[in-house]
Amino acid sequence: MKRIVVLVSGEGSNLQALIDACQQGRINAEITAVFSNKSAAYGLERARLADIAAHALDVKAYEDRAAFDVALADAIDEYQPDLVVLAGYMRILTADFVQRFAGRMINIHPSLLPKYPGLHTHRQAIENQDTEHGTSVHFVTEQLDGGPVILQAKVPVFSDDSEDDLVARVQTQEHNIYPLVVSWFVEGRLSLKNDRALLDNNPLPVQGYAAD
């Protein structure tokens, strides 16, 4: 059975979606560990409740970002993961870390990439009066939120939406598509080659699978 390690910084709702999918057999893999840069992250409690090893690394215990990422990568490697999943992990990764897990690390970002990389995506969508917003699952590369897109899901933006309204609508879609993409990877259907995402050996378009 394939092995997954998940990185979180906060609530871990996408982690929970992945835990549920593994328990229900929708993902034929085991989440072997969850790591966080924040000891109070509720995602760690979700892991403990599911009998998954939960670890927090204190950023202040390391000299710099590079030293932290080396320690984190070494700790992850102890679990020999086939896939590293970023689920609301809010630290920018060093190039060495990304290269170490290249082709087997994915992230979910709350926008229709390449639109709105970085933070506060929902707020930007509302302020710019966008009529649609969404979420993207992508391979992680050295470019922030810039790796090849695998799958996107779109949601409408209504004129009276609050940021919380939009967050909830996007998260519903995230909880659907992230387990699906993880299942593609562990089944051997999904890969990264020459900076392109491939599904069943077919290159995916820029906006990912089944883009409109």
Side-chain angles (χ1 to χ4, degrees), residues 102-106 137-141 146-151 185 189-209 211:
R104 54 191 179 107
M105 182 161 56
I106 60 175
V137 181
H138 64 95
F139 278 106
V140 177
T141 63
V149 173
I150 302 161
L151 184 62
F185 189 93
R189 298 180 58 195
L190 179 65
S191 61
L192 177 66
K193 294 180 181 177
N194 300 321
D195 205 35
R196 292 289 301 273
L198 277 66
L199 184 64
D200 299 327
N201 291 318
N202 296 311
L204 293 174
V206 174
Q207 303 301 327
Y209 177 76

Side-chain angles (χ1 to χ4, degrees), residues 21-163:
C22 288
Q23 292 175 343
Q24 295 162 6
R26 291 184 286 121
I27 296 175
N28 185 25
E30 176 187 8
I31 299 174
T32 54
V34 173
F35 287 87
S36 182
N37 60 311
K38 296 183 178 295
S39 60
Y42 186 66
L44 293 173
E45 182 62 19
R46 293 182 189 272
R48 296 183 189 106
L49 291 171
D51 293 323
I52 297 168
H55 304 279
L57 275 70
D58 183 1
V59 174
K60 296 177 183 177
Y62 300 90
E63 180 179 356
D64 53 24
R65 183 179 299 275
F68 178 88
D69 274 12
V70 168
L72 177 61
D74 287 345
I76 290 170
D77 267 342
E78 291 184 14
Y79 289 91
Q80 299 181 312
D82 298 285
L83 179 65
V84 176
V85 177
L86 309 184
Y89 185 66
M90 301 303 291
R91 281 179 63 82
I92 296 174
L93 300 168
T94 58
D96 286 346
F97 186 98
V98 172
Q99 290 166 6
R100 188 156 166 178
F101 300 106
R104 54 191 179 107
M105 182 161 56
I106 60 175
N107 180 49
I108 192 161
H109 180 74
S111 80
L112 297 173
L113 291 171
K115 201 170 190 178
Y116 306 140
L119 301 175
H120 309 303
T121 62
H122 310 294
R123 186 181 311 166
Q124 291 180 75
I126 291 172
E127 289 176 349
N128 291 328
Q129 299 182 327
D130 292 351
T131 58
E132 67 177 14
H133 188 45
T135 185
S136 306
V137 181
H138 64 95
F139 278 106
V140 177
T141 63
E142 294 176 32
Q143 181 183 355
L144 177 65
D145 299 325
V149 173
I150 302 161
L151 184 62
Q152 292 184 326
K154 297 178 181 179
V155 300
V157 183
F158 300 114
S159 59
D160 60 347
D161 271 341
S162 68
E163 195 170 340

